[in-house]
């Protein structure tokens, strides 16, 4: 994927400043992500801190658009000035592909960290945005669950491995495969927040029930309580009667978890992911991009409410 460029209007929006107020600083017609980052440093235009969140995108049911959502969410957070690390937990490497890379091109994955004891810093890669890094995945990751099985403290391997680098990031996003095993258990034990993408169909309810039972067992057996659980309705088509009925059922049964923001069905969103591009690069004016932006603006105040008083941002440490 080629490095994205941004218009002066987009730059002003990303910096959270009126274009008129920084007109004297904007000397070019377009800017790369690196140039936007330099402008951010020059102007000190960093977003309010989030308190170092670790966020897991997970649904035991496949086909919910989880990876497209998680990578575009993480990409937009980075555009808005947060330092972000995406950890690809899926052996198919879809999150890696959505960022424009091929997992097979990397010699090391999270397997090397959790099983072979490589430092996390040796596995982290840079994307085309200077403040967005990622841990790639490929088919070697398919053996992680089996390799973790005999280990002591196996549920906490990911949490402990992140201690080396977590202070460098405002947000760490885990993109998980649609299954339950030791790797996803590790991700749940490391996470502060859980995002559950669902489709507006009744097949989603079984996966939700199983997931919430798992979360409850973590609270009871391992004393790990998530700060937030967000259910996100993805790829919603309001013209389908069944979709409307499923949405109403979600609103009835999970009102305290269901986000009001709905991600509408968007062809450009799906196409962007298949091309290895976040939707904010492919078409920032599309329905998908607009809805994810709305989701972020809905979620950020809740996350900041959990940020410790006086907590700083990792934004200035990127590079």
């Amino acid at each position: 994927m080629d490095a994205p460029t941004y218009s002066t209007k987009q730059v002003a929006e990303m910096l959270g400043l009126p274009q008129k107020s920084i007109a004297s600083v904007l000397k070019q017609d377009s800017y790369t992500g690196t140039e936007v980052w330099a402008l951010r440093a020059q102007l000190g235009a960093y977003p309010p801190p989030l308190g170092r969140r670790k966020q897991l995108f997970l649904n035991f049911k496949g086909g919910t658009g989880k990876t497209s959502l998680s990578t575009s969410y993480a990409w937009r957070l980075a555009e808005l000035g947060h330092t972000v690390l995406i950890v690809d937990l899926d052996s198919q490497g879809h999150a890696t592909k959505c960022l424009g890379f091929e997992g097979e091109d990397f010699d090391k994955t999270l397997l090397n960290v959790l099983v072979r004891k490589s430092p996390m810093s040796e596995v982290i890669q840079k994307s085309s945005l200077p403040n967005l890094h990622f841990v790639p995945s490929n088919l070697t990751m398919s053996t992680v669950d089996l390799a973790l099985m005999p280990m002591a403290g196996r549920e906490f391997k990911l949490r402990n491995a992140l201690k080396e680098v977590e202070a460098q990031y405002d947000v760490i996003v885990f993109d998980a495969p649609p299954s339950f095993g030791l790797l996803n258990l590790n991700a749940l034990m490391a996470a502060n927040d859980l995002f559950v993408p669902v489709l507006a169909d009744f097949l989603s309810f079984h996966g939700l029930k199983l997931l919430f039972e798992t979360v409850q067992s973590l609270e009871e057996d391992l004393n790990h309580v998530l700060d937030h659980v967000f259910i996100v309705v993805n790829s919603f088509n309001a013209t389908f009667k069944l979709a409307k009925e499923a949405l109403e059922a979600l609103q009835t049964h999970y009102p305290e978890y269901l986000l009001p923001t709905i991600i509408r069905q968007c062809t450009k969103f799906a196409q962007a992911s298949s091309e290895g591009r976040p939707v904010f690069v492919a078409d920032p004016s599309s329905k998908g991009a607009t809805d994810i932006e709305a989701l972020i603006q809905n979620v950020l105040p809740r996350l900041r409410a959990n940020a410790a008083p006086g907590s700083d941002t990792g934004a200035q440490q990127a590079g």
Side-chain angles (χ1 to χ4, degrees), residues 117-132:
K117 300 183 179 180
S118 296
M120 182 71 78
S121 56
E122 291 184 1
V123 182
I124 291 174
Q125 305 293 328
K126 295 182 178 181
S127 76
S128 52
L129 293 181
N131 54 317
L132 176 63

Side-chain angles (χ1 to χ4, degrees), residues 8-293:
T8 54
K9 180 180 179 182
Q10 288 175 306
V11 170
E13 290 174 349
M14 289 161 61
L15 297 178
L17 298 170
Q19 190 171 349
K20 290 182 179 179
S21 71
I22 56 173
S24 61
V25 179
L26 300 175
K27 306 294 186 182
Q28 305 167 201
D29 293 330
S30 64
Y31 290 81
T32 65
T34 300
E35 290 168 336
V36 174
W37 190 250
L39 276 175
R40 192 179 291 280
Q42 179 184 340
L43 297 168
Y46 296 104
L50 295 176
R52 311 233 185 273
R53 312 304 301 174
K54 291 189 282 291
Q55 303 184 319
L56 172 62
F57 283 72
L58 173 65
N59 191 326
F60 293 152
K61 179 182 181 298
T64 61
K66 169 187 53 61
T67 299
S68 300
L69 184 60
S70 65
T71 50
S72 289
Y73 168 87
W75 183 277
R76 186 56 177 170
L77 284 181
E79 288 186 334
L80 294 174
H82 296 286
T83 50
V84 182
L85 174 67
I86 298 178
V87 182
D88 192 346
L89 302 175
D90 194 337
S91 62
Q92 296 184 72
H94 287 167
T96 303
K97 292 176 182 177
C98 283
L99 293 174
F101 298 88
E102 292 294 333
E104 291 72 22
D105 293 337
F106 298 99
D107 294 329
K108 292 186 175 182
T109 67
L110 197 62
L111 172 75
N112 298 80
V113 177
L114 301 183
V115 178
R116 300 170 187 168
K117 300 183 179 180
S118 296
M120 182 71 78
S121 56
E122 291 184 1
V123 182
I124 291 174
Q125 305 293 328
K126 295 182 178 181
S127 76
S128 52
L129 293 181
N131 54 317
L132 176 63
H133 300 164
F134 67 100
V135 174
S137 182
N138 55 40
L139 286 176
T140 62
M141 284 284 289
S142 61
T143 63
V144 167
D145 275 357
L146 187 60
L148 287 172
M149 187 69 71
M151 293 185 177
R154 57 195 180 187
E155 301 93 347
F156 306 101
K157 293 293 184 182
L158 179 57
R159 179 197 287 183
N160 292 334
L162 286 168
K163 290 178 180 178
E164 177 201 357
V165 301
E166 61 188 3
Q168 301 172 30
Y169 300 100
D170 298 320
V171 182
I172 298 175
V173 173
F174 306 113
D175 183 71
S179 62
F180 185 73
L182 275 174
L183 186 57
N184 278 349
L185 177 58
N186 266 261
L188 279 164
M189 292 302 298
N192 308 115
D193 310 311
L194 173 63
F195 287 78
V196 188
V198 300
L199 301 181
D201 62 45
F202 288 96
L203 291 176
S204 294
F205 281 84
H206 178 68
L208 275 177
K209 183 175 182 292
L210 180 59
L211 183 55
F212 275 92
E213 288 173 352
T214 302
V215 169
Q216 184 176 356
S217 69
L218 293 184
E219 294 178 1
E220 296 171 352
D221 300 336
L222 296 172
N223 196 32
H224 179 64
V225 180
L226 294 161
D227 290 336
H228 300 283
V229 177
F230 300 119
I231 297 176
V232 185
V233 177
N234 196 19
S235 194
F236 182 73
N237 189 332
T239 64
F240 292 166
K241 180 182 177 182
L242 186 61
K244 290 181 179 179
E245 292 174 351
L247 177 59
E248 290 173 359
L250 286 167
Q251 292 167 337
T252 299
H253 294 285
Y254 298 98
E256 67 272 42
Y257 304 112
L258 186 64
L259 282 174
T261 305
I262 292 173
I263 312 300
R264 292 167 291 178
Q265 190 175 69
C266 177
T267 303
K268 292 182 179 179
F269 191 7
Q271 182 179 352
S273 299
S274 68
E275 294 172 351
R277 296 189 296 167
V279 68
F280 289 97
V281 175
D283 190 347
S285 64
S286 66
K287 289 187 295 184
T290 301
D291 292 345
I292 293 173
E293 175 73 24

